[in-house]
Amino acid sequence: MDPTVVLVLCLSCLLLFSLWKQSHGRGNLPPGPTPLPVLGNLLQIDFKDVSKSLTKLSKVYGPVFTVYLGMKPTVVMYGYEAVKEALVDLGEEFSGRKDLAVNQKVNKGLGVIFSNGKTWKDTRRFSLMTLRNFGMGKRSIEERVQEEARCLMEELRKTNASPCDPTFILGAAPCNVICSVIFQSRFEYRDADFLKLMEKFNENFRLANSRSAQLFTMFPIFHYFLPGRRNKASKNIVYIKNYVLEKVKEHQESLDINNPRDFIDCFLIKMEQEKDNPQSEFTIDNLLVTVIDLFIAGTETTSTTLRYGLLLLLKYPEVTAKVQEEIERVIGRHRSPCMQDRSRMPYTDAVIHEIQRFIDLIPNNVPRTTTGDVKFRNYLIPKGTPILPSLTSMLKDDKEFPNPEEFDPGHFLDKSGNFKKSDYFLPFSTGKRACVGEALARMELFLFLTTILQNFTLKPHVDVKDLDTTPLVSGLGRVPRSYKLSFIPV
Ligand code: LZ1
């Protein structure tokens, strides 16, 4: 048969099949724009800013709607009520994780970010406990962050007040905190192993956050045509796994069950305790994936928030001056900031909340799925349906935060200048999948930013009005445009 005829026949079948699948809408899904065959609602979504497109759609279809990203329906929760009802009130039903296509081969369902079911539950509980400082030995997590903050300050001093792009150094500090928590000790910023490790993670982040990665997520079939990028990402993970495995072996040789030094020691002790349980989730394989997950979650996110935060502090020097005044008054110049200081620093606390609210780092959450068929409001959402709980919809809510597109620490202050909490402040999401690293991230943001502002004045290199604080939006996360600044010693 003529190959053209075969092709046309195949395409027609595919089209009919996708039409059939859509019209036989499994379950009773929420309303939404009519999907095209194969493409779904692709034409209604701007991939430079998915969350803005979802905002527009929510104005037409309400707080719960369905969009077809490709052939598959995804249910969007938009606004505080819908997100809370799903992620908290129906926490268990909405606690599934949708595997990002890039990861399937690599993590084999292990770890804490992309796992599900019992593996996820046991690994999550263990990671939360360990990161909360239960059993991580003598050195607290706070001390580790303070140590890193001091090294960061020394490194910034070495720039001699000359203009620099802060991306590398603000990436190295959070990465090193994770190293300190996992491997016991931090690295020198020029350490070859450390640089190699960072480079591998950075490259994978770029691959995962790219436009083509989003395309792959929607149309996994493209993987078979364009395997190059995925292989590159897998290679990087293999390198990291081998590195971590070497470290694990060193830890096994020097392990003292009564004195765990770090996350790996705690995990090895847990393995030992559960060695007679054939169902135990605590295996070397799971340790390797969990460690990688802590790096994935803990490095780029905190680093981007710090870099975006400094850009905002450059843009609003009057805000920065007030923070510095508060630091001077509460901490002074001669000791390192500590977490106890935060409760006496409402303005600084408000500024950090406002940075996180304004930048809206992960606008559509990390995609979830339903763990079973769920009745939600008047709809029936089938098991395994991808769910996007919009974090933008809460962080940019115009009743909770008047003028939500403006950077204004007043969003978190009452009339007398006390810190004002908001239920809508959920940059770490909420419910059973809420960020495991929230406490650690907030500690780093507070200690790093106060240490920097205690020791340096920030000087921009263009006119303040030319600093562009709108994001370069891409896939999962929002990234600021690049900029230069000088750190002038106080
Ligand atoms: C995550 C992040 C990024 C991707 C997946 C999980 N947790 C940041 N925190």
Side-chain angles (χ1 to χ4, degrees):
M1 219 187 320
D2 186 334
T4 325
V5 178
V6 176
L7 193 71
V8 168
L9 272 175
C10 283
L11 283 177
S12 318
C13 285
L14 201 68
L15 207 110
L16 282 174
F17 179 66
S18 84
L19 275 175
W20 173 81
K21 248 180 103 173
Q22 280 166 14
S23 60
H24 279 248
R26 305 165 303 149
N28 167 23
L29 288 166
T34 308
L36 295 172
V38 186
L39 293 180
N41 299 120
L42 222 60
L43 304 179
Q44 278 118 320
I45 307 270
D46 172 7
F47 280 90
K48 288 202 291 284
D49 196 341
V50 173
S51 97
K52 196 189 263 170
S53 304
L54 299 184
T55 303
K56 279 191 196 141
L57 289 171
S58 79
K59 296 209 167 97
V60 182
Y61 298 100
V64 185
F65 57 94
T66 306
V67 281
Y68 284 76
L69 301 177
M71 297 200 282
K72 282 203 171 154
T74 293
V75 173
V76 180
M77 306 292 168
Y78 198 94
Y80 182 78
E81 306 300 331
V83 172
K84 203 83 174 173
E85 208 172 311
L87 302 196
V88 180
D89 303 346
L90 292 166
E92 187 63 37
E93 288 85 342
F94 284 93
S95 71
R97 175 71 80 214
K98 181 173 148 51
D99 201 339
L100 303 183
V102 200
N103 278 285
Q104 275 156 14
K105 249 196 185 145
V106 183
N107 62 23
K108 297 173 281 185
L110 300 174
V112 73
I113 301 181
F114 300 106
S115 56
N116 278 299
K118 179 174 176 292
T119 307
W120 164 65
K121 279 197 177 123
D122 291 0
T123 312
R124 179 183 169 91
R125 183 173 309 124
F126 169 82
S127 304
L128 261 176
M129 290 287 280
T130 308
L131 291 178
R132 278 201 192 135
N133 245 330
F134 294 112
M136 267 246 305
K138 294 192 186 63
R139 228 153 63 89
S140 70
I141 295 198
E142 182 173 355
E143 273 172 74
R144 292 173 212 240
V145 179
Q146 283 175 314
E147 175 192 24
E148 197 59 42
R150 281 191 291 273
C151 296
L152 171 63
M153 173 184 81
E154 292 309 326
E155 195 66 19
L156 293 176
R157 241 182 246 299
K158 289 184 198 157
T159 63
N160 280 321
S162 56
C164 64
D165 177 331
T167 307
F168 170 76
I169 179 70
L170 295 180
C175 185
N176 232 347
V177 168
I178 302 289
C179 288
S180 174
V181 167
I182 290 171
F183 305 134
Q184 179 191 193
S185 50
R186 67 179 296 281
F187 292 92
E188 289 301 319
Y189 291 129
R190 306 274 175 264
D191 184 285
D193 283 352
F194 179 64
L195 291 175
K196 191 98 184 265
L197 206 60
M198 260 184 71
E199 185 191 301
K200 304 283 175 197
F201 279 115
N202 280 340
E203 184 168 45
N204 276 19
F205 175 77
R206 277 200 306 279
L207 292 171
N209 211 23
S210 65
R211 215 70 69 75
S212 57
Q214 288 186 292
L215 192 71
F216 289 167
T217 304
M218 285 181 298
F219 303 101
I221 193 160
F222 279 110
H223 280 299
Y224 297 99
F225 300 125
L226 299 163
R229 286 168 161 253
R230 176 141 132 181
N231 288 346
K232 183 85 206 156
S234 306
K235 255 196 206 144
N236 287 342
I237 294 289
V238 167
Y239 171 89
I240 297 165
K241 272 193 180 172
N242 282 329
Y243 183 80
V244 177
L245 187 58
E246 284 308 308
K247 289 280 188 183
V248 169
K249 284 182 186 152
E250 288 170 29
H251 277 66
Q252 281 173 317
E253 281 159 20
S254 55
L255 181 67
D256 172 358
I257 292 192
N258 300 312
N259 280 309
R261 298 158 291 185
D262 53 28
F263 191 91
I264 291 180
D265 276 359
C266 292
F267 200 101
L268 292 173
I269 292 168
K270 190 84 179 168
M271 269 174 71
E272 182 62 26
Q273 288 165 354
E274 298 214 353
K275 68 174 187 295
D276 297 325
N277 172 7
Q279 259 92 54
S280 173
E281 302 294 341
F282 298 92
T283 60
I284 293 286
D285 262 354
N286 194 23
L287 171 56
L288 298 184
V289 178
T290 304
V291 162
I292 290 174
D293 281 353
L294 296 185
F295 275 108
I296 292 175
T299 300
E300 208 58 47
T301 44
T302 309
S303 156
T304 305
T305 305
L306 290 169
R307 189 163 85 250
Y308 217 145
L310 288 193
L311 176 63
L312 289 164
L313 293 171
L314 283 175
K315 180 85 182 173
Y316 300 94
E318 66 288 354
V319 170
T320 312
K322 280 194 185 170
V323 174
Q324 284 178 312
E325 182 281 319
E326 194 172 58
I327 292 171
E328 180 87 36
R329 184 161 41 80
V330 176
I331 308 172
R333 298 237 173 123
H334 305 295
R335 67 169 175 86
S336 298
C338 63
M339 288 317 291
Q340 275 202 333
D341 296 323
R342 189 170 61 184
S343 58
R344 294 192 293 144
M345 299 174 71
Y347 190 79
T348 305
D349 204 7
V351 168
I352 296 173
H353 278 75
E354 182 65 358
I355 289 170
Q356 289 198 267
R357 186 198 71 79
F358 180 88
I359 75 174
D360 184 15
L361 183 69
I362 305 184
N364 302 311
N365 219 316
V366 185
R368 307 239 190 143
T369 54
T370 41
T371 57
D373 295 350
V374 198
K375 199 168 171 321
F376 185 77
R377 298 192 175 180
N378 283 325
Y379 311 115
L380 185 70
I381 305 175
K383 176 177 174 161
T385 305
I387 306 291
L388 291 182
S390 166
L391 299 182
T392 307
S393 69
M394 302 181 286
L395 297 174
K396 302 287 167 84
D397 183 288
D398 61 2
K399 289 195 194 66
E400 182 72 4
F401 304 111
N403 301 319
E405 296 304 332
E406 252 158 62
F407 180 79
D408 175 9
H411 285 135
F412 294 95
L413 293 166
D414 69 13
K415 289 203 184 63
S416 353
N418 300 311
F419 180 75
K420 184 176 76 181
K421 227 167 87 66
S422 167
D423 291 340
Y424 286 57
F425 180 77
L426 295 171
F428 298 99
S429 191
T430 184
K432 289 179 193 281
R433 280 271 180 183
C435 186
V436 172
E438 170 167 353
L440 175 60
R442 299 190 56 203
M443 193 183 273
E444 290 185 57
L445 295 179
F446 179 77
L447 295 175
F448 287 155
L449 288 173
T450 51
T451 305
I452 291 171
L453 293 181
Q454 179 189 41
N455 293 281
F456 303 98
T457 305
L458 312 176
K459 184 171 160 247
H461 277 271
V462 292
D463 206 316
V464 166
K465 72 172 188 329
D466 295 327
L467 287 172
D468 185 352
T469 59
T470 61
L472 267 175
V473 185
S474 35
L476 191 64
R478 295 194 195 243
V479 177
R481 291 157 205 280
S482 66
Y483 64 93
K484 285 191 171 175
L485 83 168
S486 301
F487 296 90
I488 318 282
V490 173

